[in-house]
Amino acid sequence: MRRALCLLLAVSPLFAGSIPAAEYKQRRAELRKSLDGVMVLFGAEEPEDLHTSFFQESNFLYLTGWREPGAAMLLTRNEEILFLPAHNRQKEIFNGPITAADDSDANAKSGFASVMPRSAIEPEFLRMAGKSRSIYTLPPDSNAQKLRALMPLHDERNAGTEIARLRVIKSEAEIGRIAESTDITVAAHLAAWKAMKAGLFEYEIAATMTNVYFQHGCERSAYAPIVGSGPNSTILHYMTNHRRADSGELVLMDVGAECSDYATDVTRTVPVDGKFTARQREIYDVVLGAQKAAIAAVKPGARMRGEKNSLQQIAYDYINSHGQDLHGDTLGKYFTHALSHYVGLDVHDPGDVNTPLQPGMVITIEPGVYIPEENIGVRIEDTVLVTPSGAKLLSGALPREASEIEKRIGK
Ligand code: GLY
Ligand code: MN
């Protein structure tokens, strides 16, 4: 735990550096350069029930940093307009004050030179679309589809694809945010390892981890925590977390904090009693070997998947050439998911996974072997920054070697 505390001190005070306002403007300017028509984007609406607090739609957040509900935006190569809902005193009694287009500070707060009432979006859209041939929307956004239907002969383009081209390359500020979320998630894993013992329920382990996030001011889990013991370690997205972890079993913990909007994704698989059985260790070392082989191959120009020497193929080949199941078959068939995805504002951040890696991309490397017949599921996942010369493990402070894990469980 001492190491985790050092890590946390190193990033203290947490969230001091948010994304600079100028960076949002710069992202829009970059996006607009490539536009050949009107992009229509609607932010998230106020949630109608109390299940969740308000979270901005991630493309809208990426381009604006705007954190109030009900906003929209039109972008063309030459123009950008932010649309804001009018004041509604009754709603504001419940949800707090909002910024409206006619507020004197609307431009300064939003960083948009042009801010209009939301009710003006249709005439503005018709004016802009009249001068162009294409409309970019984020399907299935029904608000955007209503506007799009007013111009049925225009070409239809996917806004998400264009925005993802920018989102895959993280800025220094974004890398800093992901590193913070990752440091806190590493501390969460170490807290769970320390508390680990046979007889704990999966939800108790998950609670130990999420408690660390909230103690550090993170807003939520980037995805529902996956804490699978014994047979549940073989279910890839097990999120029920209601079984008791018994002696002799593995516990797979796949969790990530979302802090200052940015996600992370870190998985470790540990023995509940602090000692792998010989068979668990054998499988664990195959997965670790595959992960090391894939990480060693991360560099600009390498591909996550889609070609012979892809990271996916390297990990698969390693798994399929090491170890056997109880029937003497190779293990490749037990690696049943993709090795990598992008991480950013979303845990599964959007972007083309067949494109060559570039510096500034943040991806996961997460091989796994899941053998239900043996109640053994092992996944080892790190969040990795692609650098000009290779890879930097943002979650590298969390031990991966079986012997190091054994030393830390329950202590
Ligand atoms: N951490 C869950 C996933 O990557 O699917
Ligand atoms: Mn993942």
Side-chain angles (χ1 to χ4, degrees):
M1 193 61 198
R2 203 172 320 128
R3 256 162 84 181
L5 286 175
C6 292
L7 268 170
L8 292 177
L9 287 175
V11 298
S12 183
L14 290 174
F15 317 140
S18 51
I19 303 294
E23 188 168 320
Y24 292 108
K25 210 177 174 69
Q26 196 187 330
R27 293 174 185 174
R28 294 195 299 275
E30 198 54 40
L31 175 71
R32 282 170 48 201
K33 274 192 221 160
S34 68
L35 290 187
D36 171 30
V38 190
M39 186 175 283
V40 183
L41 290 175
F42 283 82
E45 304 288 341
E46 191 81 62
E48 294 207 343
D49 57 31
L50 298 177
H51 276 129
T52 63
S53 38
F54 171 77
F55 288 103
Q56 186 57 281
E57 192 282 319
S58 56
N59 289 293
F60 203 88
L61 184 62
Y62 179 79
L63 290 170
T64 63
W66 192 250
R67 290 152 203 288
E68 295 182 23
M73 174 168 54
L74 294 178
L75 300 165
T76 66
R77 198 172 289 198
N78 303 316
E79 281 187 87
E80 56 178 35
I81 308 176
L82 179 69
F83 298 87
L84 297 179
H87 283 294
N88 176 330
R89 294 296 167 206
Q90 189 58 26
K91 270 194 179 175
E92 289 178 65
I93 287 172
F94 281 90
N95 302 325
I98 61 163
T99 312
D102 51 3
D103 290 356
S104 57
D105 57 356
N107 301 90
K109 265 188 178 171
S110 66
F112 278 72
S114 182
V115 183
M116 294 188 181
R118 169 108 175 227
S119 55
I121 195 167
E122 187 174 313
E124 289 301 317
F125 169 75
L126 290 171
R127 177 182 63 77
M128 288 174 162
K131 294 191 269 183
S132 59
R133 297 173 52 84
S134 304
I135 297 168
Y136 299 74
T137 62
L138 264 183
D141 183 341
S142 58
N143 282 313
Q145 293 315 319
K146 275 185 213 145
L147 288 182
R148 198 240 156 326
L150 300 173
M151 287 292 189
L153 300 181
H154 277 50
D155 293 341
E156 186 154 7
R157 308 280 286 271
N158 189 323
T161 311
E162 303 299 321
I163 302 168
R165 264 202 274 280
L166 301 179
R167 284 180 64 179
V168 291
I169 307 292
K170 270 62 184 182
S171 68
E172 283 303 315
E174 289 185 290
I175 292 165
R177 301 291 76 70
I178 299 170
E180 280 178 357
S181 295
T182 307
D183 286 348
I184 289 164
T185 301
V186 166
H189 272 277
L190 291 173
W193 294 9
K194 190 172 174 183
M196 188 69 70
K197 59 176 192 225
L200 285 182
F201 282 82
E202 293 159 345
Y203 55 78
E204 294 179 275
I205 299 165
T208 298
M209 302 179 99
T210 51
N211 191 34
V212 174
Y213 310 163
F214 296 127
Q215 280 183 332
H216 289 95
C218 300
E219 52 269 23
R220 56 176 166 173
S221 289
Y223 52 97
I226 298 166
V227 179
S229 61
N232 294 335
S233 64
T234 68
I235 303 170
L236 303 186
H237 279 173
Y238 173 77
M239 293 172 174
T240 314
N241 299 348
H242 257 73
R243 183 181 176 277
R244 197 182 58 221
D246 283 326
S247 189
E249 293 178 345
L250 291 175
V251 180
L252 184 155
M253 292 163 284
D254 179 345
V255 306
E258 181 179 312
C259 318
S260 298
D261 305 320
Y262 280 83
T264 185
D265 194 357
V266 183
T267 306
R268 291 292 184 268
T269 308
V270 307
V272 68
D273 316 295
K275 182 85 187 127
F276 288 97
T277 66
R279 179 61 175 158
Q280 289 167 349
R281 173 76 188 253
E282 197 180 320
I283 300 296
Y284 186 91
D285 285 340
V286 170
V287 177
L288 183 59
Q291 200 211 25
K292 286 179 179 171
I295 290 171
V298 172
K299 60 172 196 272
R303 287 177 199 259
M304 287 187 258
R305 58 193 89 144
E307 66 168 22
K308 222 166 67 218
N309 296 322
S310 67
L311 305 180
Q312 181 83 34
Q313 191 66 44
I314 289 168
Y316 175 86
D317 288 346
Y318 187 96
I319 288 170
N320 207 39
S321 58
H322 289 79
Q324 292 185 337
D325 68 7
L326 296 180
H327 312 281
D329 287 339
T330 54
L331 296 178
K333 66 181 172 193
Y334 299 101
F335 176 25
T336 46
H337 55 79
L339 178 77
S340 299
H341 56 81
Y342 295 110
V343 177
L345 287 170
D346 296 312
V347 64
H348 289 182
D349 223 37
D352 179 359
V353 289
N354 294 307
T355 201
L357 294 178
Q358 296 175 56
M361 288 179 166
V362 177
I363 63 171
T364 62
I365 300 289
E366 50 173 312
V369 166
Y370 312 90
I371 314 178
E373 188 185 11
E374 298 188 62
N375 287 339
I376 292 180
V378 174
R379 177 161 64 255
I380 307 171
E381 175 174 30
D382 285 275
T383 293
V384 171
L385 169 68
V386 182
T387 67
S389 57
K392 178 176 179 203
L393 266 65
L394 298 179
S395 45
L398 187 62
R400 294 182 293 150
E401 297 295 335
S403 55
E404 274 188 74
I405 290 174
E406 286 182 337
K407 277 189 217 138
R408 286 177 172 248
I409 296 299
K411 300 185 186 97

